[in-house]
Amino acid sequence: MGEEIKVIVFKLGEEEYGVEVEKVQSIERMVPITRVPRTYDFVKGVFNMRGVVIPVIDLRGRFGLSEAEYTDQTRIIIVAVGEMQVGFIVDSANDVIDLNTDNIETPPEVVGGVKAKYLRGVAKIGEERLLIMLNLSEVLNRSEMNQLEGLED
Amino acid sequence: MDMNQYLNMFIDESNDHLQSLNEKMLQLESSPTDLGIVQVIFRSAHTLKGMAATMGFEDLASLTHQMENVLDLVRNNKLAMQEFIFDTFFKGLDALESMVQNITEGGDGKADVSSIVASLQSIVRGDFQKSHTDAVTEAVTPKKAADSESEGLVLDQFQYSVLEQSISEGHRVYYIQVTISSESQLKAARAFMVFNTLENSGEIVKAYPSVQDIEQEKFEQNFSLYYITQKEVGELEKEIAGISEIESVSVVQLDQESLKQMSEVKAGLAETAAVQEAQVAVQQQTAASQPQSPTAASGAKPADGKAQVAKPAAPTHNRTIRVDIERLDVLMNLFSELLIDRVRLEQLASEASNPALTETVEHMSRVSSDLQNVVLKLRMVPVDTVFNRFPRMVRDLAKSLDKKLDLVITGADTEMDRTVIDEIGDPLVHLLRNSVDHGIESVETRIAAGKPETGTVHLRAFHSGNNVFIEIEDDGSGINREKVLKSAISKGIMTEEQAAAMSDEEAHQVLFAPGFSTAEVISDVSGRGVGLDVVKSKITSLGGNVTIHSVLGKGTNFSVQLPLTLSIIAAMMIQIGSEKYAIPLSSIVETAIVKRTQIRSVHGNKMIAFRESHIPLISLSQLFEVPDFNEDEEEETEVVVIRKGDRLAALSVQDFLGQSEIVLKNLGKYLPNIQGISGATILGDGQVALIIDPNVFIK
């Protein structure tokens, strides 16, 4: 038997994604974001969350999907992995569900265009819903960003 | 039990103990007979051992245990501190430090310390003397032989452990004193009978006078001995008293505790003299063979209280608590949130123009500014936390360079923000090394120059205005202007004409030029290609400054000026398009407005005239790819002239928003280091503004 976990559910387009609740620090409405020059396009900038400056990335951009307009539903999900705190811009976030880890299956090769390494697996909820569980440490993997550090002007 | 929750406490306390051990060892080195210091060291080591054992760091505990064994001998006067022991101890402390460091980094604190342990054990056994200081043993032995009665009770380590072993194995150990009648004509024979009787039923471990001396009648009336047997006290007494011409006999049974006490007390009495003799011998010996090397750093005058850092560490109970710096950061963050709300409230109150509300908001403003001061002060720590590693460092350095010097530390309680403290260590190490290596002359040179053979390096810290000054002053050779300039010319840093026109002050500043070094010989310490320019740029990056004052033949003074805190800096706020940035005031020379016609193009780079020279003009909007501004359309451009060392550049911006005090924040772990951006700050409206790091714009 796997363990029961609580999962925050959010949407990018039509897909539903999940991330363990203990990795999520808070969910914020869209706030003004300060652009940070000379970094990746999907890094939208930084914002002030109660005195802490937190970088915000557009999760669609991170996954190589086309970016969407921000709406009333747009949320920033603040996740923490190790010492890293990052905000994800998502289309909406409005559900918390219980999930048994047994129900998470290895992801198929292609899911909505998102590279498989970013995904921990796919969980089936009820008859209809498919939930894509994120592999946060891969999403926040800096190794592909490190090449930016040598950037010359 | 889960030990993790105690780990931080363990690390903090271990570091404290190690620091105090280092300090006390240095003190002891300058007054090796002060057993008070040894007691303090012993207690510290003991506590450390206990903590390490509790936490399951076996290697740490066992090394400390070995050190404790040596200390135990020292505090009981069975062993005199000397150079070899000091060196071994310092090696041991270094090993302990790296183990704790390893634990701090999440390791298991394991390390191969077998060679140090072996050295410590050889000290305990006493055989290190045979190999290392034959002269000492020689000096001590005749003294012992010639000494009077009490010394007979001194047990060597082997005998002591035999006795101890016997007790723990359930044998009886007696200390027996026999007095032979003064009328006796055959003392030796009587004594022989006593020995004979005793040897029938046990083993004599040690006798005083020695068995030979007794046989040759070289004793008065008394002799005493340690004896192992199975017999009862009464039985023994009867047997001995039964021998004729025995005046009295006393038999005392020893347990481990009393054995220890006996050997300590009496040995103490006996050996104090011997120990002092031995020390004189050691000193004379070292002095004779290698005049420059003795207990270096702190000099050899115990009287004038070397380590001025350590105010006599009176065990005053600190009325303080330890707080994780991260919690203070959280407090600071929450507080800045409060400030933002305050600004907002003030705004609302003025709009509402309700006197009661305005009054309350004003009161809240005052309270919060007081609170701000308190919160900032919480982050202040004494520079002691950096200084405390220097006495040891200087000691080792002086030793390796064969120099004699005192390090005098004043103002170690001067407080600075934690963020500055964390950064300032390395530059200071560099400057101190420089003083010890280049500044202080060798003993011969000093004597020839009519100076005291022991050099002095002063390390001072003090507050002045919004700055902290740290000075490193030596009474060494001073800076040789000609030599510096010659070297600078040969390295192509300047021309001869330039050199000739320089004031002494300017000539001294040349030391900070990149690629400069006067070291003719590459020593262990300097000449490794890292020059004072690194020190200078580090201090500059902290918003500070360093100046040199030097008199040839008299000495050199490096004065480092640093801001009290790095978490709040004065900055110029600027606007480019819809974006706001902060430029630290410390690197701004001035602001100006230039007309488009004043901008020249040199090799495709934009330059502007500034004070009779041309400096590069850098477009921030282009560099940062600001989407909604382009100054190419402007007739007049606002520029900020920035400085890095002697070099200048101008940054073009759209508007100046004015000067303000900003709280520094970092950008978080996720973002890579972005060139030109050193951090962020939160503005009054809650938005984030990036802080520009002007240093990278000037190559």
Side-chain angles (χ1 to χ4, degrees):
Chain A
M1 267 302 278
E3 42 177 334
E4 290 286 322
I5 53 170
K6 276 199 188 306
V7 173
I8 303 267
V9 180
F10 61 87
K11 273 188 154 179
L12 291 181
E14 292 307 307
E15 309 280 357
E16 280 192 306
Y17 293 81
V19 53
E20 295 95 316
V21 77
E22 64 266 26
K23 302 257 170 78
V24 175
Q25 289 198 318
S26 73
I27 300 173
E28 308 274 321
R29 284 177 181 279
M30 203 56 200
V31 290
I33 292 172
T34 303
R35 188 185 69 93
V36 177
R38 311 175 78 175
T39 176
Y40 268 108
D41 281 347
F42 60 78
V43 175
K44 288 296 145 194
V46 290
F47 85 108
N48 163 26
M49 187 181 76
R50 290 176 278 289
V52 185
V53 175
I54 295 184
V56 183
I57 67 182
D58 190 309
L59 207 51
R60 283 171 164 268
R62 181 72 183 90
F63 291 159
L65 308 173
S66 64
E67 293 187 14
E69 290 287 310
Y70 301 144
T71 67
D72 277 358
Q73 296 296 305
T74 307
R75 292 290 180 273
I76 302 176
I77 300 182
I78 316 294
V79 299
V81 175
E83 291 182 355
M84 265 188 235
Q85 277 183 309
V86 176
F88 289 149
I89 299 178
V90 300
D91 291 353
S92 66
N94 37 25
D95 209 355
V96 183
I97 60 164
D98 291 311
L99 191 69
N100 194 300
T101 46
D102 278 352
N103 293 338
I104 303 176
E105 293 161 20
T106 7
E109 275 309 300
V110 179
V111 181
V114 176
K115 283 188 198 151
K117 67 170 179 172
Y118 299 143
L119 308 180
R120 178 175 154 196
V122 177
K124 202 171 164 200
I125 321 163
E127 290 303 306
E128 299 292 307
R129 287 169 83 186
L130 273 186
L131 188 65
I132 305 164
M133 293 296 295
L134 283 187
N135 181 350
L136 274 188
S137 42
E138 269 307 319
V139 176
L140 294 183
N141 190 346
R142 276 186 33 151
S143 63
E144 48 194 302
M145 294 187 67
N146 285 338
Q147 62 204 38
L148 262 182
E149 294 189 27
L151 199 77
E152 288 293 320
D153 49 330
Chain B
M1 182 166 50
D2 178 21
M3 285 293 176
N4 271 333
Q5 53 176 319
Y6 302 114
L7 191 60
N8 281 335
M9 208 193 287
F10 167 76
I11 290 168
D12 281 348
E13 290 192 5
S14 302
N15 282 328
D16 281 358
H17 280 294
L18 285 173
Q19 182 54 41
S20 120
L21 282 171
N22 254 317
E23 274 168 19
K24 293 294 166 190
M25 285 306 287
L26 286 171
Q27 275 181 28
L28 187 63
E29 201 173 27
S30 53
S31 45
T33 48
D34 188 341
L35 292 187
I37 305 179
V38 180
Q39 287 291 4
V40 177
I41 297 176
F42 184 83
R43 277 197 297 272
S44 241
H46 188 75
T47 318
L48 189 59
K49 178 181 89 172
M51 293 193 313
T54 318
M55 297 294 294
F57 298 119
E58 299 299 339
D59 286 4
L60 225 157
S62 75
L63 178 54
T64 339
H65 179 68
Q66 297 296 340
M67 294 170 82
E68 217 183 319
N69 286 345
V70 175
L71 288 168
D72 197 40
L73 293 180
V74 176
R75 70 171 180 164
N76 291 322
N77 261 323
K78 289 190 200 146
L79 181 69
M81 289 304 285
Q82 45 190 279
E83 207 176 320
F84 176 73
I85 307 183
F86 277 113
D87 285 346
T88 315
F89 258 89
F90 279 124
K91 269 184 221 153
L93 289 179
D94 286 345
L96 290 176
E97 248 162 46
S98 56
M99 286 156 133
V100 173
Q101 182 61 29
N102 175 267
I103 294 168
T104 312
E105 287 158 4
D108 53 7
K110 289 205 186 302
D112 179 19
V113 288
S114 49
S115 75
I116 303 173
V117 167
S119 297
L120 288 168
Q121 281 170 339
S122 81
I123 293 171
V124 171
R125 284 195 306 270
D127 36 337
F128 80 100
Q129 292 194 328
K130 293 188 187 80
S131 48
H132 293 276
T133 46
D134 289 333
V136 178
T137 354
E138 280 163 26
V140 175
T141 330
K143 173 75 190 164
K144 269 193 177 171
D147 213 326
S148 60
E149 286 199 42
S150 56
E151 208 185 317
L153 300 163
V154 179
L155 289 167
D156 64 28
Q157 191 62 28
F158 171 71
Q159 292 159 336
Y160 179 78
S161 55
V162 165
L163 289 175
E164 199 180 37
Q165 189 91 22
S166 309
I167 296 173
S168 59
E169 280 170 16
H171 298 284
R172 296 193 175 103
V173 169
Y174 295 113
Y175 175 64
I176 302 173
Q177 279 181 303
V178 182
T179 308
I180 296 172
S181 158
S182 55
E183 273 98 33
S184 170
Q185 296 300 310
L186 291 161
K187 285 187 289 182
R190 297 300 169 206
F192 178 70
M193 289 170 75
V194 173
F195 279 24
N196 219 5
T197 313
L198 290 175
E199 263 159 4
N200 281 337
S201 50
E203 193 186 343
I204 295 166
V205 175
K206 167 116 184 166
Y208 181 82
S210 70
V211 178
Q212 288 98 325
D213 285 353
I214 293 174
E215 277 172 5
Q216 293 165 24
E217 247 184 76
K218 284 184 190 161
F219 71 109
E220 297 294 326
Q221 282 175 276
N222 309 314
F223 61 93
S224 45
L225 42 88
Y226 285 100
Y227 179 55
I228 305 173
T229 184
Q230 288 291 352
K231 289 197 171 179
E232 302 271 351
V233 182
E235 228 180 318
L236 270 179
E237 272 177 346
K238 223 188 230 166
E239 274 188 32
I240 300 171
I243 300 165
S244 51
E245 287 188 281
I246 300 293
E247 196 173 85
S248 69
V249 56
S250 94
V251 179
V252 183
Q253 184 169 3
L254 302 178
D255 57 16
Q256 265 158 339
E257 195 52 42
S258 54
L259 173 68
K260 200 167 169 211
Q261 274 172 6
M262 293 234 358
S263 58
E264 272 171 22
V265 175
K266 309 220 170 161
L269 286 173
E271 277 207 349
T272 319
V275 162
Q276 281 161 355
E277 280 296 309
Q279 259 155 10
V280 173
V282 173
Q283 278 166 6
Q284 282 167 348
Q285 214 248 338
T286 33
S289 62
Q290 31 175 189
Q292 308 91 328
S293 86
T295 44
S298 319
K301 306 166 288 174
D304 47 353
K306 285 306 86 85
Q308 274 91 341
V309 195
K311 296 157 282 177
T316 44
H317 284 288
N318 270 340
R319 287 170 47 79
T320 54
I321 52 167
R322 279 178 201 282
V323 181
D324 191 333
I325 192 88
E326 275 172 25
R327 290 198 193 170
L328 288 185
D329 286 341
V330 173
L331 182 62
M332 185 90 164
N333 287 341
L334 289 174
F335 185 73
S336 44
E337 278 294 293
L338 196 64
L339 286 188
I340 291 160
D341 288 347
R342 185 186 87 185
V343 175
R344 184 85 187 114
L345 269 180
E346 281 166 352
Q347 218 174 352
L348 290 173
S350 72
E351 283 166 18
S353 62
N354 171 339
L357 178 60
T358 315
E359 209 173 287
T360 315
V361 170
E362 275 172 5
H363 182 251
M364 199 196 87
S365 301
R366 280 196 301 277
V367 172
S368 61
S369 18
D370 289 351
L371 196 55
Q372 182 173 16
N373 281 332
V374 175
V375 172
L376 285 179
K377 282 209 183 96
L378 287 180
R379 297 175 49 94
M380 303 294 266
V381 270
V383 283
D384 193 16
T385 50
V386 186
F387 283 7
N388 57 24
R389 57 184 159 128
F390 293 154
R392 171 69 200 287
M393 185 198 90
V394 168
R395 169 204 180 265
D396 292 356
L397 206 55
K399 227 174 169 180
S400 76
L401 293 168
D402 250 13
K403 290 179 180 177
K404 279 191 177 184
L405 61 95
D406 282 342
L407 175 66
V408 182
I409 297 180
T410 40
D413 53 353
T414 311
E415 289 191 330
M416 289 173 94
D417 190 283
R418 177 62 190 260
T419 47
V420 186
I421 295 266
D422 287 346
E423 300 287 321
I424 195 59
D426 290 346
L428 289 183
V429 166
H430 216 93
L431 289 176
L432 270 175
R433 283 170 166 266
N434 188 76
S435 278
V436 176
D437 192 20
H438 297 304
I440 301 291
E441 314 91 328
S442 66
V443 174
E444 296 83 5
T445 322
R446 288 188 68 90
I447 292 172
K451 291 181 177 181
E453 60 173 27
T454 304
T456 310
V457 176
H458 286 273
L459 177 62
R460 297 187 200 98
F462 54 91
H463 279 143
S464 172
N466 245 348
N467 290 296
V468 174
F469 285 84
I470 298 177
E471 291 188 343
I472 292 160
E473 184 177 348
D474 63 64
D475 63 348
S477 55
I479 296 169
N480 187 335
R481 178 196 156 107
E482 298 314 317
K483 210 164 127 191
V484 168
L485 293 179
K486 220 170 114 189
S487 172
I489 294 165
S490 74
K491 292 193 168 74
I493 295 172
M494 63 182 69
T495 63
E496 285 193 36
E497 293 75 36
Q498 282 174 321
M502 272 190 166
S503 69
D504 281 1
E505 289 294 309
E506 285 168 329
H508 296 156
Q509 289 293 328
V510 173
L511 291 180
F512 291 120
F516 183 85
S517 168
T518 44
E520 280 154 5
V521 185
I522 293 176
S523 69
D524 228 13
V525 183
S526 23
R528 278 180 292 195
V530 186
L532 286 173
D533 58 320
V534 178
V535 172
K536 172 115 181 170
S537 66
K538 180 78 200 178
I539 291 170
T540 317
S541 75
L542 292 175
N545 192 18
V546 53
T547 51
I548 312 179
H549 180 75
S550 178
V551 179
L552 189 60
K554 297 269 191 230
T556 308
N557 181 349
F558 286 95
S559 178
V560 179
Q561 180 190 352
L562 290 162
L564 266 183
T565 172
L566 279 186
S567 45
I568 295 189
I569 58 165
M572 165 72 84
M573 299 302 302
I574 55 140
Q575 183 148 20
I576 308 171
S578 56
E579 299 180 352
K580 290 174 184 168
Y581 294 90
I583 305 177
L585 225 49
S586 56
S587 39
I588 297 182
V589 182
E590 64 178 59
T591 56
I593 297 180
V594 294
K595 294 209 162 57
R596 188 207 279 261
T597 51
Q598 291 172 298
I599 302 173
R600 314 245 163 86
S601 183
V602 180
H603 283 294
N605 296 319
K606 286 182 178 170
M607 308 281 274
I608 58 168
F610 181 76
R611 291 192 190 151
E612 289 140 32
S613 70
H614 279 81
I615 61 174
L617 176 69
I618 299 158
S619 163
L620 271 187
S621 64
Q622 281 169 21
L623 207 61
F624 288 163
E625 295 154 351
V626 179
D628 47 4
F629 178 71
N630 188 351
E631 65 243 305
D632 288 348
E633 292 140 28
E634 290 209 321
E635 267 312 304
E636 284 186 337
T637 303
E638 279 86 349
V639 298
V640 180
V641 180
I642 53 166
R643 172 192 60 199
K644 178 188 183 186
D646 301 333
R647 281 166 293 174
L648 301 170
L651 301 176
S652 61
V653 304
Q654 185 182 6
D655 272 314
F656 305 127
L657 297 174
Q659 193 181 323
S660 80
E661 304 262 298
I662 58 169
V663 179
L664 252 79
K665 309 259 175 189
N666 65 38
L667 284 179
K669 287 245 187 268
Y670 180 71
L671 288 178
N673 295 320
I674 298 160
Q675 279 207 328
I677 303 289
S678 63
T681 187
I682 295 169
L683 302 174
D685 60 1
Q687 298 229 18
V688 180
L690 300 178
I691 300 169
I692 290 170
D693 173 13
N695 283 322
V696 303
F697 300 134
I698 305 177
K699 291 268 154 56

